[in-house]
PDB file of all heavy atoms in Angstrom:
ATOM      1  N   LEU A   5      75.675 110.022  60.882  1.00 95.00           N
ATOM      2  CA  LEU A   5      77.146 109.769  60.626  1.00 95.00           C
ATOM      3  C   LEU A   5      77.773 109.052  61.820  1.00 95.00           C
ATOM      4  O   LEU A   5      78.424 108.016  61.700  1.00 95.00           O
ATOM      5  CB  LEU A   5      77.842 111.061  60.286  1.00 95.00           C
ATOM      6  CG  LEU A   5      79.378 110.921  60.020  1.00 95.00           C
ATOM      7  CD1 LEU A   5      79.623 109.958  58.884  1.00 95.00           C
ATOM      8  CD2 LEU A   5      79.953 112.275  59.728  1.00 95.00           C
ATOM      9  N   GLN A   6      77.684 109.709  63.005  1.00 95.00           N
ATOM     10  CA  GLN A   6      78.335 109.109  64.231  1.00 95.00           C
ATOM     11  C   GLN A   6      77.654 107.807  64.555  1.00 95.00           C
ATOM     12  O   GLN A   6      78.374 106.888  64.991  1.00 95.00           O
ATOM     13  CB  GLN A   6      78.253 110.126  65.382  1.00 95.00           C
ATOM     14  CG  GLN A   6      79.225 111.272  65.274  1.00 95.00           C
ATOM     15  CD  GLN A   6      79.501 111.902  66.614  1.00 95.00           C
ATOM     16  OE1 GLN A   6      78.761 111.717  67.562  1.00 95.00           O
ATOM     17  NE2 GLN A   6      80.549 112.705  66.650  1.00 95.00           N
ATOM     18  N   GLY A   7      76.369 107.720  64.449  1.00 94.00           N
ATOM     19  CA  GLY A   7      75.697 106.448  64.762  1.00 94.00           C
ATOM     20  C   GLY A   7      76.139 105.334  63.859  1.00 94.00           C
ATOM     21  O   GLY A   7      76.350 104.180  64.316  1.00 94.00           O
ATOM     22  N   THR A   8      76.346 105.610  62.557  1.00 95.00           N
ATOM     23  CA  THR A   8      76.792 104.627  61.639  1.00 95.00           C
ATOM     24  C   THR A   8      78.235 104.231  61.907  1.00 95.00           C
ATOM     25  O   THR A   8      78.622 103.053  61.850  1.00 95.00           O
ATOM     26  CB  THR A   8      76.658 105.133  60.207  1.00 95.00           C
ATOM     27  OG1 THR A   8      75.299 105.461  59.888  1.00 95.00           O
ATOM     28  CG2 THR A   8      77.076 104.061  59.199  1.00 95.00           C
ATOM     29  N   LEU A   9      79.083 105.178  62.187  1.00 95.00           N
ATOM     30  CA  LEU A   9      80.483 104.894  62.516  1.00 95.00           C
ATOM     31  C   LEU A   9      80.566 104.051  63.793  1.00 95.00           C
ATOM     32  O   LEU A   9      81.353 103.088  63.847  1.00 95.00           O
ATOM     33  CB  LEU A   9      81.235 106.208  62.741  1.00 95.00           C
ATOM     34  CG  LEU A   9      81.570 107.049  61.487  1.00 95.00           C
ATOM     35  CD1 LEU A   9      82.241 108.355  61.896  1.00 95.00           C
ATOM     36  CD2 LEU A   9      82.482 106.255  60.552  1.00 95.00           C
ATOM     37  N   MET A  10      79.740 104.353  64.765  1.00 95.00           N
ATOM     38  CA  MET A  10      79.715 103.570  66.039  1.00 95.00           C
ATOM     39  C   MET A  10      79.199 102.154  65.734  1.00 95.00           C
ATOM     40  O   MET A  10      79.719 101.198  66.367  1.00 95.00           O
ATOM     41  CB  MET A  10      78.866 104.306  67.057  1.00 95.00           C
ATOM     42  CG  MET A  10      79.082 103.727  68.454  1.00 95.00           C
ATOM     43  SD  MET A  10      80.784 103.919  69.022  1.00 95.00           S
ATOM     44  CE  MET A  10      81.016 102.326  69.837  1.00 95.00           C
ATOM     45  N   TRP A  11      78.254 102.024  64.859  1.00 95.00           N
ATOM     46  CA  TRP A  11      77.746 100.673  64.542  1.00 95.00           C
ATOM     47  C   TRP A  11      78.782  99.881  63.830  1.00 95.00           C
ATOM     48  O   TRP A  11      78.938  98.701  64.101  1.00 95.00           O
ATOM     49  CB  TRP A  11      76.503 100.851  63.688  1.00 95.00           C
ATOM     50  CG  TRP A  11      75.968  99.587  63.132  1.00 95.00           C
ATOM     51  CD1 TRP A  11      75.775  99.266  61.783  1.00 95.00           C
ATOM     52  CD2 TRP A  11      75.517  98.428  63.868  1.00 95.00           C
ATOM     53  NE1 TRP A  11      75.274  97.989  61.722  1.00 95.00           N
ATOM     54  CE2 TRP A  11      75.098  97.457  62.957  1.00 95.00           C
ATOM     55  CE3 TRP A  11      75.439  98.152  65.238  1.00 95.00           C
ATOM     56  CZ2 TRP A  11      74.582  96.195  63.317  1.00 95.00           C
ATOM     57  CZ3 TRP A  11      74.960  96.899  65.634  1.00 95.00           C
ATOM     58  CH2 TRP A  11      74.557  95.950  64.648  1.00 95.00           C
ATOM     59  N   ILE A  12      79.526 100.474  62.879  1.00 94.00           N
ATOM     60  CA  ILE A  12      80.613  99.779  62.209  1.00 94.00           C
ATOM     61  C   ILE A  12      81.694  99.343  63.184  1.00 94.00           C
ATOM     62  O   ILE A  12      82.209  98.202  63.168  1.00 94.00           O
ATOM     63  CB  ILE A  12      81.249 100.678  61.094  1.00 94.00           C
ATOM     64  CG1 ILE A  12      80.195 100.876  59.960  1.00 94.00           C
ATOM     65  CG2 ILE A  12      82.518  99.985  60.568  1.00 94.00           C
ATOM     66  CD1 ILE A  12      80.660 101.873  58.996  1.00 94.00           C
ATOM     67  N   LEU A  13      82.023 100.249  64.142  1.00 93.00           N
ATOM     68  CA  LEU A  13      82.988  99.916  65.174  1.00 93.00           C
ATOM     69  C   LEU A  13      82.451  98.794  66.098  1.00 93.00           C
ATOM     70  O   LEU A  13      83.231  97.901  66.470  1.00 93.00           O
ATOM     71  CB  LEU A  13      83.305 101.145  66.032  1.00 93.00           C
ATOM     72  CG  LEU A  13      84.298 100.980  67.139  1.00 93.00           C
ATOM     73  CD1 LEU A  13      85.641 100.511  66.614  1.00 93.00           C
ATOM     74  CD2 LEU A  13      84.457 102.280  67.980  1.00 93.00           C
ATOM     75  N   THR A  14      81.170  98.825  66.391  1.00 93.00           N
ATOM     76  CA  THR A  14      80.559  97.791  67.233  1.00 93.00           C
ATOM     77  C   THR A  14      80.667  96.408  66.535  1.00 93.00           C
ATOM     78  O   THR A  14      81.052  95.439  67.184  1.00 93.00           O
ATOM     79  CB  THR A  14      79.075  98.076  67.465  1.00 93.00           C
ATOM     80  OG1 THR A  14      78.953  99.340  68.151  1.00 93.00           O
ATOM     81  CG2 THR A  14      78.409  96.964  68.301  1.00 93.00           C
ATOM     82  N   VAL A  15      80.377  96.308  65.290  1.00 93.00           N
ATOM     83  CA  VAL A  15      80.498  95.083  64.478  1.00 93.00           C
ATOM     84  C   VAL A  15      81.965  94.626  64.525  1.00 93.00           C
ATOM     85  O   VAL A  15      82.246  93.406  64.688  1.00 93.00           O
ATOM     86  CB  VAL A  15      79.982  95.289  63.083  1.00 93.00           C
ATOM     87  CG1 VAL A  15      80.270  94.040  62.226  1.00 93.00           C
ATOM     88  CG2 VAL A  15      78.490  95.586  63.039  1.00 93.00           C
ATOM     89  N   GLY A  16      82.915  95.564  64.326  1.00 93.00           N
ATOM     90  CA  GLY A  16      84.311  95.216  64.377  1.00 93.00           C
ATOM     91  C   GLY A  16      84.763  94.670  65.688  1.00 93.00           C
ATOM     92  O   GLY A  16      85.498  93.694  65.811  1.00 93.00           O
ATOM     93  N   ILE A  17      84.289  95.288  66.811  1.00 90.00           N
ATOM     94  CA  ILE A  17      84.601  94.819  68.160  1.00 90.00           C
ATOM     95  C   ILE A  17      84.059  93.413  68.363  1.00 90.00           C
ATOM     96  O   ILE A  17      84.745  92.511  68.884  1.00 90.00           O
ATOM     97  CB  ILE A  17      84.003  95.791  69.201  1.00 90.00           C
ATOM     98  CG1 ILE A  17      84.770  97.122  69.228  1.00 90.00           C
ATOM     99  CG2 ILE A  17      84.078  95.139  70.630  1.00 90.00           C
ATOM    100  CD1 ILE A  17      84.186  98.197  70.111  1.00 90.00           C
ATOM    101  N   ILE A  18      82.804  93.137  67.945  1.00 90.00           N
ATOM    102  CA  ILE A  18      82.217  91.831  68.099  1.00 90.00           C
ATOM    103  C   ILE A  18      83.002  90.808  67.311  1.00 90.00           C
ATOM    104  O   ILE A  18      83.268  89.687  67.801  1.00 90.00           O
ATOM    105  CB  ILE A  18      80.712  91.871  67.665  1.00 90.00           C
ATOM    106  CG1 ILE A  18      79.907  92.759  68.583  1.00 90.00           C
ATOM    107  CG2 ILE A  18      80.153  90.462  67.578  1.00 90.00           C
ATOM    108  CD1 ILE A  18      78.468  92.999  68.099  1.00 90.00           C
ATOM    109  N   TYR A  19      83.345  91.192  66.087  1.00 93.00           N
ATOM    110  CA  TYR A  19      84.127  90.212  65.239  1.00 93.00           C
ATOM    111  C   TYR A  19      85.463  89.855  65.883  1.00 93.00           C
ATOM    112  O   TYR A  19      85.824  88.676  65.941  1.00 93.00           O
ATOM    113  CB  TYR A  19      84.330  90.879  63.883  1.00 93.00           C
ATOM    114  CG  TYR A  19      85.143  90.049  62.903  1.00 93.00           C
ATOM    115  CD1 TYR A  19      84.608  88.876  62.349  1.00 93.00           C
ATOM    116  CD2 TYR A  19      86.444  90.394  62.605  1.00 93.00           C
ATOM    117  CE1 TYR A  19      85.345  88.102  61.479  1.00 93.00           C
ATOM    118  CE2 TYR A  19      87.166  89.663  61.717  1.00 93.00           C
ATOM    119  CZ  TYR A  19      86.650  88.496  61.177  1.00 93.00           C
ATOM    120  OH  TYR A  19      87.398  87.725  60.293  1.00 93.00           O
ATOM    121  N   LEU A  20      86.199  90.910  66.323  1.00 91.00           N
ATOM    122  CA  LEU A  20      87.539  90.623  66.877  1.00 91.00           C
ATOM    123  C   LEU A  20      87.456  89.827  68.204  1.00 91.00           C
ATOM    124  O   LEU A  20      88.241  88.909  68.432  1.00 91.00           O
ATOM    125  CB  LEU A  20      88.235  91.980  67.156  1.00 91.00           C
ATOM    126  CG  LEU A  20      88.644  92.743  65.866  1.00 91.00           C
ATOM    127  CD1 LEU A  20      89.262  94.102  66.257  1.00 91.00           C
ATOM    128  CD2 LEU A  20      89.672  91.966  65.060  1.00 91.00           C
ATOM    129  N   LEU A  21      86.460  90.174  69.037  1.00 89.00           N
ATOM    130  CA  LEU A  21      86.337  89.400  70.288  1.00 89.00           C
ATOM    131  C   LEU A  21      85.954  87.962  70.011  1.00 89.00           C
ATOM    132  O   LEU A  21      86.343  87.053  70.682  1.00 89.00           O
ATOM    133  CB  LEU A  21      85.253  90.107  71.149  1.00 89.00           C
ATOM    134  CG  LEU A  21      85.648  91.421  71.862  1.00 89.00           C
ATOM    135  CD1 LEU A  21      84.531  92.022  72.593  1.00 89.00           C
ATOM    136  CD2 LEU A  21      86.888  91.201  72.766  1.00 89.00           C
ATOM    137  N   THR A  22      85.085  87.783  69.007  1.00 89.00           N
ATOM    138  CA  THR A  22      84.684  86.402  68.617  1.00 89.00           C
ATOM    139  C   THR A  22      85.889  85.580  68.174  1.00 89.00           C
ATOM    140  O   THR A  22      86.067  84.436  68.555  1.00 89.00           O
ATOM    141  CB  THR A  22      83.635  86.433  67.482  1.00 89.00           C
ATOM    142  OG1 THR A  22      82.502  87.158  67.947  1.00 89.00           O
ATOM    143  CG2 THR A  22      83.238  85.039  67.106  1.00 89.00           C
ATOM    144  N   LEU A  23      86.746  86.224  67.375  1.00 89.00           N
ATOM    145  CA  LEU A  23      88.011  85.519  66.902  1.00 89.00           C
ATOM    146  C   LEU A  23      88.902  85.198  68.094  1.00 89.00           C
ATOM    147  O   LEU A  23      89.496  84.055  68.148  1.00 89.00           O
ATOM    148  CB  LEU A  23      88.715  86.400  65.887  1.00 89.00           C
ATOM    149  CG  LEU A  23      88.153  86.592  64.489  1.00 89.00           C
ATOM    150  CD1 LEU A  23      89.034  87.478  63.655  1.00 89.00           C
ATOM    151  CD2 LEU A  23      87.919  85.263  63.815  1.00 89.00           C
ATOM    152  N   PHE A  24      88.981  86.149  68.998  1.00 85.00           N
ATOM    153  CA  PHE A  24      89.839  85.967  70.181  1.00 85.00           C
ATOM    154  C   PHE A  24      89.365  84.752  71.018  1.00 85.00           C
ATOM    155  O   PHE A  24      90.169  83.846  71.383  1.00 85.00           O
ATOM    156  CB  PHE A  24      89.852  87.224  71.037  1.00 85.00           C
ATOM    157  CG  PHE A  24      91.016  87.319  71.956  1.00 85.00           C
ATOM    158  CD1 PHE A  24      91.241  88.478  72.640  1.00 85.00           C
ATOM    159  CD2 PHE A  24      91.854  86.226  72.248  1.00 85.00           C
ATOM    160  CE1 PHE A  24      92.352  88.588  73.529  1.00 85.00           C
ATOM    161  CE2 PHE A  24      92.929  86.300  73.112  1.00 85.00           C
ATOM    162  CZ  PHE A  24      93.181  87.502  73.782  1.00 85.00           C
ATOM    163  N   TRP A  25      88.040  84.698  71.272  1.00 86.00           N
ATOM    164  CA  TRP A  25      87.481  83.572  72.071  1.00 86.00           C
ATOM    165  C   TRP A  25      87.568  82.259  71.334  1.00 86.00           C
ATOM    166  O   TRP A  25      87.771  81.209  71.929  1.00 86.00           O
ATOM    167  CB  TRP A  25      86.081  83.935  72.444  1.00 86.00           C
ATOM    168  CG  TRP A  25      85.953  84.856  73.626  1.00 86.00           C
ATOM    169  CD1 TRP A  25      85.636  86.223  73.591  1.00 86.00           C
ATOM    170  CD2 TRP A  25      86.214  84.565  74.967  1.00 86.00           C
ATOM    171  NE1 TRP A  25      85.662  86.734  74.818  1.00 86.00           N
ATOM    172  CE2 TRP A  25      85.999  85.747  75.768  1.00 86.00           C
ATOM    173  CE3 TRP A  25      86.568  83.381  75.690  1.00 86.00           C
ATOM    174  CZ2 TRP A  25      86.159  85.836  77.138  1.00 86.00           C
ATOM    175  CZ3 TRP A  25      86.682  83.462  77.065  1.00 86.00           C
ATOM    176  CH2 TRP A  25      86.503  84.641  77.778  1.00 86.00           C
ATOM    177  N   GLN A  26      87.378  82.303  70.034  1.00 86.00           N
ATOM    178  CA  GLN A  26      87.466  81.080  69.209  1.00 86.00           C
ATOM    179  C   GLN A  26      88.898  80.556  69.250  1.00 86.00           C
ATOM    180  O   GLN A  26      89.122  79.343  69.360  1.00 86.00           O
ATOM    181  CB  GLN A  26      87.058  81.365  67.769  1.00 86.00           C
ATOM    182  CG  GLN A  26      85.584  81.461  67.518  1.00 86.00           C
ATOM    183  CD  GLN A  26      85.247  81.728  66.124  1.00 86.00           C
ATOM    184  OE1 GLN A  26      86.089  82.124  65.281  1.00 86.00           O
ATOM    185  NE2 GLN A  26      83.939  81.535  65.761  1.00 86.00           N
ATOM    186  N   ASN A  27      89.899  81.396  69.193  1.00 84.00           N
ATOM    187  CA  ASN A  27      91.278  81.046  69.292  1.00 84.00           C
ATOM    188  C   ASN A  27      91.567  80.415  70.650  1.00 84.00           C
ATOM    189  O   ASN A  27      92.296  79.354  70.771  1.00 84.00           O
ATOM    190  CB  ASN A  27      92.194  82.219  69.067  1.00 84.00           C
ATOM    191  CG  ASN A  27      93.641  81.873  69.147  1.00 84.00           C
ATOM    192  OD1 ASN A  27      94.280  82.043  70.184  1.00 84.00           O
ATOM    193  ND2 ASN A  27      94.225  81.375  68.048  1.00 84.00           N
ATOM    194  N   LEU A  28      91.002  80.970  71.723  1.00 82.00           N
ATOM    195  CA  LEU A  28      91.186  80.379  73.058  1.00 82.00           C
ATOM    196  C   LEU A  28      90.548  79.013  73.139  1.00 82.00           C
ATOM    197  O   LEU A  28      91.116  78.096  73.707  1.00 82.00           O
ATOM    198  CB  LEU A  28      90.571  81.319  74.133  1.00 82.00           C
ATOM    199  CG  LEU A  28      91.418  82.555  74.518  1.00 82.00           C
ATOM    200  CD1 LEU A  28      90.630  83.401  75.517  1.00 82.00           C
ATOM    201  CD2 LEU A  28      92.715  82.145  75.161  1.00 82.00           C
ATOM    202  N   ALA A  29      89.364  78.838  72.587  1.00 81.00           N
ATOM    203  CA  ALA A  29      88.658  77.598  72.644  1.00 81.00           C
ATOM    204  C   ALA A  29      89.419  76.483  71.855  1.00 81.00           C
ATOM    205  O   ALA A  29      89.476  75.309  72.276  1.00 81.00           O
ATOM    206  CB  ALA A  29      87.271  77.735  72.088  1.00 81.00           C
ATOM    207  N   GLN A  30      89.998  76.897  70.673  1.00 83.00           N
ATOM    208  CA  GLN A  30      90.742  75.933  69.896  1.00 83.00           C
ATOM    209  C   GLN A  30      91.959  75.413  70.582  1.00 83.00           C
ATOM    210  O   GLN A  30      92.435  74.300  70.365  1.00 83.00           O
ATOM    211  CB  GLN A  30      91.132  76.544  68.534  1.00 83.00           C
ATOM    212  CG  GLN A  30      89.907  76.748  67.604  1.00 83.00           C
ATOM    213  CD  GLN A  30      90.285  77.561  66.374  1.00 83.00           C
ATOM    214  OE1 GLN A  30      91.484  78.030  66.245  1.00 83.00           O
ATOM    215  NE2 GLN A  30      89.375  77.704  65.467  1.00 83.00           N
ATOM    216  N   ASN A  31      92.476  76.308  71.497  1.00 79.00           N
ATOM    217  CA  ASN A  31      93.689  75.883  72.272  1.00 79.00           C
ATOM    218  C   ASN A  31      93.300  75.389  73.659  1.00 79.00           C
ATOM    219  O   ASN A  31      94.176  75.327  74.571  1.00 79.00           O
ATOM    220  CB  ASN A  31      94.682  77.049  72.361  1.00 79.00           C
ATOM    221  CG  ASN A  31      95.280  77.374  71.021  1.00 79.00           C
ATOM    222  OD1 ASN A  31      96.197  76.693  70.539  1.00 79.00           O
ATOM    223  ND2 ASN A  31      94.822  78.477  70.383  1.00 79.00           N
ATOM    224  N   ASP A  32      92.054  75.036  73.832  1.00 70.00           N
ATOM    225  CA  ASP A  32      91.529  74.512  75.100  1.00 70.00           C
ATOM    226  C   ASP A  32      91.787  75.415  76.291  1.00 70.00           C
ATOM    227  O   ASP A  32      92.087  74.992  77.414  1.00 70.00           O
ATOM    228  CB  ASP A  32      92.186  73.129  75.390  1.00 70.00           C
ATOM    229  CG  ASP A  32      91.789  72.119  74.322  1.00 70.00           C
ATOM    230  OD1 ASP A  32      90.631  72.139  73.832  1.00 70.00           O
ATOM    231  OD2 ASP A  32      92.667  71.305  73.963  1.00 70.00           O
ATOM    232  N   PHE A  33      91.747  76.734  76.027  1.00 75.00           N
ATOM    233  CA  PHE A  33      91.926  77.724  77.121  1.00 75.00           C
ATOM    234  C   PHE A  33      93.181  77.458  77.916  1.00 75.00           C
ATOM    235  O   PHE A  33      93.153  77.423  79.144  1.00 75.00           O
ATOM    236  CB  PHE A  33      90.689  77.738  77.996  1.00 75.00           C
ATOM    237  CG  PHE A  33      89.405  78.089  77.263  1.00 75.00           C
ATOM    238  CD1 PHE A  33      88.532  77.095  76.866  1.00 75.00           C
ATOM    239  CD2 PHE A  33      89.071  79.386  77.009  1.00 75.00           C
ATOM    240  CE1 PHE A  33      87.379  77.404  76.193  1.00 75.00           C
ATOM    241  CE2 PHE A  33      87.869  79.751  76.361  1.00 75.00           C
ATOM    242  CZ  PHE A  33      87.088  78.698  75.958  1.00 75.00           C
ATOM    243  N   ASP A  34      94.252  77.244  77.181  1.00 76.00           N
ATOM    244  CA  ASP A  34      95.542  76.818  77.838  1.00 76.00           C
ATOM    245  C   ASP A  34      96.298  77.931  78.516  1.00 76.00           C
ATOM    246  O   ASP A  34      97.171  77.702  79.284  1.00 76.00           O
ATOM    247  CB  ASP A  34      96.447  76.148  76.780  1.00 76.00           C
ATOM    248  CG  ASP A  34      96.766  77.059  75.643  1.00 76.00           C
ATOM    249  OD1 ASP A  34      96.066  78.084  75.503  1.00 76.00           O
ATOM    250  OD2 ASP A  34      97.690  76.770  74.870  1.00 76.00           O
ATOM    251  N   SER A  35      95.920  79.203  78.194  1.00 76.00           N
ATOM    252  CA  SER A  35      96.637  80.327  78.782  1.00 76.00           C
ATOM    253  C   SER A  35      95.714  81.117  79.701  1.00 76.00           C
ATOM    254  O   SER A  35      94.761  81.706  79.305  1.00 76.00           O
ATOM    255  CB  SER A  35      97.184  81.260  77.702  1.00 76.00           C
ATOM    256  OG  SER A  35      97.716  82.448  78.246  1.00 76.00           O
ATOM    257  N   PHE A  36      96.066  81.097  81.033  1.00 80.00           N
ATOM    258  CA  PHE A  36      95.280  81.808  82.022  1.00 80.00           C
ATOM    259  C   PHE A  36      95.350  83.313  81.728  1.00 80.00           C
ATOM    260  O   PHE A  36      94.318  84.074  81.872  1.00 80.00           O
ATOM    261  CB  PHE A  36      95.846  81.562  83.393  1.00 80.00           C
ATOM    262  CG  PHE A  36      95.092  82.276  84.493  1.00 80.00           C
ATOM    263  CD1 PHE A  36      93.825  81.845  84.931  1.00 80.00           C
ATOM    264  CD2 PHE A  36      95.631  83.387  85.126  1.00 80.00           C
ATOM    265  CE1 PHE A  36      93.137  82.537  85.931  1.00 80.00           C
ATOM    266  CE2 PHE A  36      94.982  84.075  86.109  1.00 80.00           C
ATOM    267  CZ  PHE A  36      93.724  83.666  86.493  1.00 80.00           C
ATOM    268  N   PHE A  37      96.507  83.814  81.313  1.00 83.00           N
ATOM    269  CA  PHE A  37      96.698  85.222  80.992  1.00 83.00           C
ATOM    270  C   PHE A  37      95.742  85.654  79.857  1.00 83.00           C
ATOM    271  O   PHE A  37      95.096  86.704  79.914  1.00 83.00           O
ATOM    272  CB  PHE A  37      98.124  85.497  80.641  1.00 83.00           C
ATOM    273  CG  PHE A  37      98.317  86.935  80.119  1.00 83.00           C
ATOM    274  CD1 PHE A  37      98.346  87.990  80.955  1.00 83.00           C
ATOM    275  CD2 PHE A  37      98.494  87.169  78.744  1.00 83.00           C
ATOM    276  CE1 PHE A  37      98.541  89.277  80.494  1.00 83.00           C
ATOM    277  CE2 PHE A  37      98.674  88.398  78.268  1.00 83.00           C
ATOM    278  CZ  PHE A  37      98.706  89.526  79.118  1.00 83.00           C
ATOM    279  N   LYS A  38      95.669  84.832  78.826  1.00 80.00           N
ATOM    280  CA  LYS A  38      94.791  85.141  77.685  1.00 80.00           C
ATOM    281  C   LYS A  38      93.306  85.130  78.092  1.00 80.00           C
ATOM    282  O   LYS A  38      92.527  85.927  77.560  1.00 80.00           O
ATOM    283  CB  LYS A  38      95.062  84.162  76.568  1.00 80.00           C
ATOM    284  CG  LYS A  38      96.401  84.403  75.829  1.00 80.00           C
ATOM    285  CD  LYS A  38      96.531  83.445  74.665  1.00 80.00           C
ATOM    286  CE  LYS A  38      97.834  83.670  73.916  1.00 80.00           C
ATOM    287  NZ  LYS A  38      97.989  82.742  72.774  1.00 80.00           N
ATOM    288  N   ILE A  39      92.956  84.275  78.972  1.00 83.00           N
ATOM    289  CA  ILE A  39      91.573  84.173  79.398  1.00 83.00           C
ATOM    290  C   ILE A  39      91.179  85.473  80.146  1.00 83.00           C
ATOM    291  O   ILE A  39      90.159  86.082  79.902  1.00 83.00           O
ATOM    292  CB  ILE A  39      91.357  82.953  80.358  1.00 83.00           C
ATOM    293  CG1 ILE A  39      91.532  81.651  79.518  1.00 83.00           C
ATOM    294  CG2 ILE A  39      89.965  83.006  80.972  1.00 83.00           C
ATOM    295  CD1 ILE A  39      91.497  80.414  80.418  1.00 83.00           C
TER     296      ILE A  39
END
């Protein structure tokens, strides 16, 4: 149970971080604070 919950959370973290970095890349890393 806990391993599966942690795995789902891990996938969620990877997905959100990927979106965040993609958004930065699309904006040419224009914000130092966001980086």
